[in-house]
Amino acid sequence: MSETAGRGGHVPGPEPDPRGEPRAQGRHGAEGSHKGQNQHGGQEEHGRKAHAQGARGKEERGQGPHAQEARGEAEAAPADLAARVEELQALVTDLQDRWRRALADLDNLRKRVSRDTGRMREEERARAATEWLPVLDNLDRALEHAETDPASIVDGMRAIRDQAQEVLSRLGYPRRDDAGAAFDPARHEAVAVLPQEGVPDGTVLQVVRPGYGDGEQQLRPALVVVAKGE
């Protein structure tokens, strides 16, 4: 036993802190403070969880703001869908009506063009036939005079030929004189090839059958004899 304990039997306690507080708390005091803080934090956490569970419960029961908004959209969706369907049906009806009218107009146009084409063809045939009527009249007169004056038949036939050529020229198919021209496959058909001195190769020597018209308006090509160089 120490000397101090021997004199008074007093055991010294912890030295006081200079700030007036005990230097250290006991184990039980620290544990109590820590438990108090944990208990307060646990109550706050429990409150937050309860609030979240309540909000989730309201959403599940359809009482929360999100659920009410979704329910409003769901209620408005059928009305909007019905209006959209009605609008599309009206559009389809209008397009079908336009399609039927377009088909009817096209059919009427086809029939009208067919009628007009046939009428124009008949008019052109009548015009061409009318051009040839004077030629037939002159042939009749030439045959009448042939019995009384056979010598005059030659002059009459020559006049009728000239008249027929004039008719073809008025119709757009004049007679061509291809003698001496260069051979052109688009305008000529060679029926023979003859060697000829002093004549360029491919020159038309003789016209066997004359051609009428030219270019896109060619009625027929000429049958010719063509020179071949030595």
Side-chain angles (χ1 to χ4, degrees), residues 72-90:
E73 293 178 355
E75 292 175 354
D80 295 340
L81 182 60
R84 182 58 177 167
V85 169
E86 184 178 357
E87 180 182 355
L88 292 176
Q89 288 177 346

Side-chain angles (χ1 to χ4, degrees), residues 189-194 208 224-227:
E189 290 184 10
V191 296
V193 178
L194 298 177
V208 179
V224 297
V225 177
V226 184

Side-chain angles (χ1 to χ4, degrees), residues 5 12 14 32 39 70 76 82 87-88 98 105-106 113 120 128 131 140 145 175 178 188 200 204 206 216 220-221:
Q39 183 178 6
E87 180 182 355
L88 292 176
R98 292 185 181 184
D105 293 341
L106 180 61
V113 169
M120 292 176 62
E131 293 288 339
D140 290 336
H145 289 84
R175 178 172 174 166
D178 293 319
H188 307 135
V204 176
Q206 180 184 355
E216 295 182 357
R220 73 177 187 187

Side-chain angles (χ1 to χ4, degrees), residues 20-89:
E21 296 179 354
R23 183 178 299 273
Q25 295 180 353
R27 183 172 59 86
H28 297 289
E31 291 178 355
S33 176
H34 182 67
K35 287 181 180 180
Q37 293 176 357
N38 290 341
Q39 183 178 6
H40 181 70
Q43 290 177 354
E44 291 181 354
E45 181 67 23
H46 179 71
R48 286 194 295 270
K49 290 181 179 180
H51 179 72
Q53 291 176 355
R56 284 198 302 270
K58 288 184 179 181
E59 293 293 338
E60 293 175 356
R61 293 191 300 271
Q63 297 177 355
H66 296 291
Q68 292 177 358
E69 182 179 356
R71 186 167 59 252
E73 293 178 355
E75 292 175 354
D80 295 340
L81 182 60
R84 182 58 177 167
V85 169
E86 184 178 357
E87 180 182 355
L88 292 176
Q89 288 177 346

Side-chain angles (χ1 to χ4, degrees), residues 83-118:
R84 182 58 177 167
V85 169
E86 184 178 357
E87 180 182 355
L88 292 176
Q89 288 177 346
L91 179 60
V92 169
T93 301
D94 181 63
L95 291 176
Q96 288 178 342
D97 183 61
R98 292 185 181 184
W99 173 65
R100 292 190 183 94
R101 284 185 292 178
L103 286 180
D105 293 341
L106 180 61
D107 186 60
N108 293 334
L109 177 61
R110 186 184 299 111
K111 293 178 180 178
R112 184 167 60 252
V113 169
S114 179
R115 290 194 302 268
D116 293 345
T117 302

